[in-house]
Amino acid sequence: MRISLVLGDITQQQVDAIVNAANSSLLGGGGVDGAIHRKGGPAILEECRKLRASHYGKGLATGQAVATTAGNLPARWVIHTVGPVYSATDDRSELLASCHHQSLRIADELGAQTVAFPAISTGIYGWPMASAAEIALQAVRSASTRVAEVRFVLFDREALSAFESQNPA
């Protein structure tokens, strides 16, 4: 599998699947989640509501993943995953790694060859960027997957730099 790091807007990535750093409600939020719902249009929210009404009545658990249409995005699917809130006293790194493993598992089930990830849990959930980069890259490298390319799409230069420092060429 090829891992690439790019500075950009995840909602503009032409990939098979875009990973959404969702909240457990699956009904949209801020940051990456809000951008994906806004640009993807109402089809994503409609499928998320159906998921809530059927399998995920209490919401999606932290570290898990589920897929919907990508609506108006230039991808086929959105894989929603709920990252953990950072804690300085409780090690939640396995949950953050699980977001990546479960997203790739769903990608394999869908037949996705290219997947774009954001820096999960680094926004409002407060995960330090360098730590998140280390966990994300290790999780993807260790995953058993048929995905050909994982693209980390980083919103600013600070995030890109943190991921680059964990992914020497």
Side-chain angles (χ1 to χ4, degrees), residues 10-13 15-20 36 73-75 77-79 116:
I10 198 164
T11 66
Q12 296 178 356
Q13 298 301 305
V15 292
D16 294 327
I18 292 173
V19 176
N20 180 19
I36 286 172
L73 296 170
W77 303 284
V78 173
I79 299 172

Side-chain angles (χ1 to χ4, degrees), residues 10 21 24 28 38 46 51 68 74 82 87 89 94 96 100 102-103 107 120 132 137-138 147-148 150 155 165:
I10 198 164
S24 64
R38 278 190 306 277
E46 183 179 325
L51 287 168
T68 66
V82 180
S87 170
T89 58
E94 283 301 317
L96 184 54
H100 297 84
Q102 293 300 314
S103 294
I120 297 168
L137 287 162
Q138 175 58 32
V147 170
V150 168
F155 193 72
S165 72

